[in-house]
Amino acid sequence: LFTSQLKMAHPQVHFEVLQAYGDKPDFGNLSVFVHSDGPTTDQEVFSFLKDAADGAPVIHGNRVSIAYLGIQTDVTFVPSNDYRFALCYHAFNGMGGLLGRVANSLDLTLRDNGMVYKLQDGDQAVAEIGVAVTWQQALMLLGYSYGRWCEGFASLDEVFAFVASSEFFDPAMFMDVEAVVEGERPTVVQLFARYLEVESPKPHHVPSKKLELLFDRIPGFCDSFANV
């Protein structure tokens, strides 16, 4: 009902409900990603949210949370250039956050607007080189099957099995995850750490010569690196 009303009020707005795994429990919330086309501005969409909300909207950066007919509805505004990548990054319980640790092991940074290599001077990042602008590129660089990702996932265990399937995955990447506090709902990272304890997947190969791997796998990366 919410998405139907949004479409009627602002037909030129592109939006999608965030993709979830098949048997995800319904915790009474809805996540919608939206960006505006043409004359409709984010402010006009925000005005629609204020009118539709049961109470005052709560703003967290580029996300607006409202209660709509008793359902918590989170609406995230995303720039057009980042829209598709952000949808993929946050899909399936925020899988991108888990894949980010695999990216870090290769000295890459996975964000919801792309993947970059940060050139360091000691502990200081002095430059960034973009290495992936599509989700397919990011998954392939991290050793995952884009085709499998496109099939979707029936359960959270399937999501976790996919995360552990990379040729670069090592369970040690998640050894520092804090334990779940009694009475609190666990985060997806904590649930994944629990999954690893039960399933005990074997570590894959994390290359020691990471830069050479990136030169080999990323077209144009060597030239971009040399020109920084």
Side-chain angles (χ1 to χ4, degrees), residues 47-66:
S47 296
F48 164 82
L49 297 177
K50 287 198 299 184
D51 293 339
D54 297 336
V58 178
I59 302 174
H60 311 272
N62 66 333
R63 187 175 75 247
V64 179
S65 297
I66 66 171

Side-chain angles (χ1 to χ4, degrees), residues 97-116:
L98 300 177
L99 302 185
R101 296 202 178 205
V102 179
N104 291 344
S105 74
L106 298 174
D107 295 336
L108 299 173
T109 300
L110 180 65
R111 306 184 295 221
D112 65 359
N113 63 350
M115 190 160 65
V116 300

Side-chain angles (χ1 to χ4, degrees), residues 23-38:
D23 65 358
K24 181 179 180 180
D26 180 9
F27 290 116
N29 65 307
L30 177 70
S31 295
V32 178
F33 274 49
V34 58
H35 74 75
S36 300
D37 284 338

Side-chain angles (χ1 to χ4, degrees), residues 52 108 156-157 214 216 226:
L108 299 173
L156 191 56
D157 275 0
L214 300 181
D216 182 61

Side-chain angles (χ1 to χ4, degrees), residues 63-80:
R63 187 175 75 247
V64 179
S65 297
I66 66 171
Y68 177 79
L69 300 179
I71 299 174
Q72 178 179 324
T73 303
D74 300 321
V75 179
T76 303
F77 293 85
V78 183
S80 298

Side-chain angles (χ1 to χ4, degrees), residues 3 15-20 30-33 83 87:
T3 54
F15 64 87
E16 291 186 40
V17 175
L18 202 59
Q19 194 171 8
L30 177 70
S31 295
V32 178
F33 274 49
Y83 183 68
L87 277 172

Side-chain angles (χ1 to χ4, degrees), residues 105-107 168 204-214:
S105 74
L106 298 174
D107 295 336
F168 305 121
H204 297 290
H205 173 65
V206 178
S208 57
K209 297 182 178 180
K210 300 173 185 178
L211 196 55
E212 288 83 348
L213 174 74
L214 300 181

